[in-house]
Amino acid sequence: DGGITQSPKYLFRKEGQNVTLSCEQNLNHDAMYWYRQDPGQGLRLIYYSQIVNDFQKGDIAEGYSVSREKKESFPLTVTSAQKNPTAFYLCASSLPVQDTEAFFGQGTRLTVV
Amino acid sequence: KQEVTQIPAALSVPEGENLVLNCSFTDSAIYNLQWFRQDPGKGLTSLLLIQSSQREQTSGRLNASLDKSSGRSTLYIAASQPGDSATYLCALWNTGGFKTIFGAGTRLFVKA
């Protein structure tokens, strides 16, 4: 089945730790995105990538980093510089054109302990 | 700056009722508008995509309309069922930028 797989579903981070969230897609999409969702708020864009080896900051990139070494994969690292990382993180992909449907993974819930 | 607003924030209706969810936006220069469904703790499921040149899209009991001139989209759900209970999000793709802007969502509860 084609789709987007995020792992793990739940992740716990200690203060000062970096953690990496995985996102893999087999839809052959060039564009991939990372969003953060907080209660009562809309999704906010962290980073996006239109093509392999290229990515751009979204609205809330501080404290996060990404890589795009393969078309299928777009991992997100939440660094210790992110002061309030507890949130629900969603990965999405689409064709690299601006009028196409976006598809989402099932999300990773990150909690700081 | 584009702003997307969804009203109401929450809605509770009895089973069988027809209902309308609203999405408004401030800048009409959009490529498309997409409606999503989100169940608690889950990702987003795409329901309908309306291109900027279209006025509406239909899928089963769902109908979404788009009026760019007034900055509004509505999602109509016919004969609501308890299984429709979820949060519904609208999102649009602005021209001049490569990202989607989301509303905060409407949380729907359909009572059996």
Side-chain angles (χ1 to χ4, degrees), chain A residues 9-10 31 33 35 37 40-45 48-50 58-59 88 90 94-107 109, chain B residues 30-32 34 36 38-49 51-52 87 89 93-105:
Chain A
K9 187 173 181 179
Y10 300 98
Y33 316 81
Y35 292 90
Q37 186 177 34
Q41 296 189 36
L43 278 67
R44 292 183 289 169
L45 183 65
Y48 65 96
S49 169
Q50 298 179 52
D59 298 318
F88 191 52
L90 288 158
S94 72
L95 294 173
V97 292
Q98 292 165 304
D99 60 352
T100 187
E101 189 174 7
F103 295 87
F104 281 78
Q106 289 300 299
R109 183 165 300 281
Chain B
I30 65 172
Y31 279 114
N32 64 38
Q34 194 168 356
F36 293 91
Q38 185 177 30
D39 293 290
K42 303 291 187 183
L44 276 63
T45 300
S46 178
L47 298 173
L48 290 164
L49 172 71
Q51 306 286 1
S52 62
T87 297
L89 296 142
W93 200 307
N94 256 19
T95 61
F98 199 88
K99 63 179 184 180
T100 303
I101 301 170
F102 283 82

Side-chain angles (χ1 to χ4, degrees), chain B residues 25-98:
Chain B
F25 48 95
T26 55
D27 185 346
S28 63
I30 65 172
Y31 279 114
N32 64 38
L33 188 143
Q34 194 168 356
W35 282 93
F36 293 91
R37 170 186 172 136
Q38 185 177 30
D39 293 290
K42 303 291 187 183
L44 276 63
T45 300
S46 178
L47 298 173
L48 290 164
L49 172 71
I50 311 176
Q51 306 286 1
S52 62
S53 58
Q54 298 173 324
R55 297 282 293 182
E56 65 177 334
Q57 284 285 338
T58 299
S59 176
R61 294 183 294 110
L62 305 179
N63 176 276
S65 67
L66 174 63
D67 184 345
K68 288 198 305 178
S69 62
S70 65
R72 291 188 59 194
S73 177
T74 60
L75 179 67
Y76 175 82
I77 302 177
S80 59
Q81 303 170 359
D84 294 330
S85 299
T87 297
Y88 291 82
L89 296 142
C90 69
L92 54 86
W93 200 307
N94 256 19
T95 61
F98 199 88

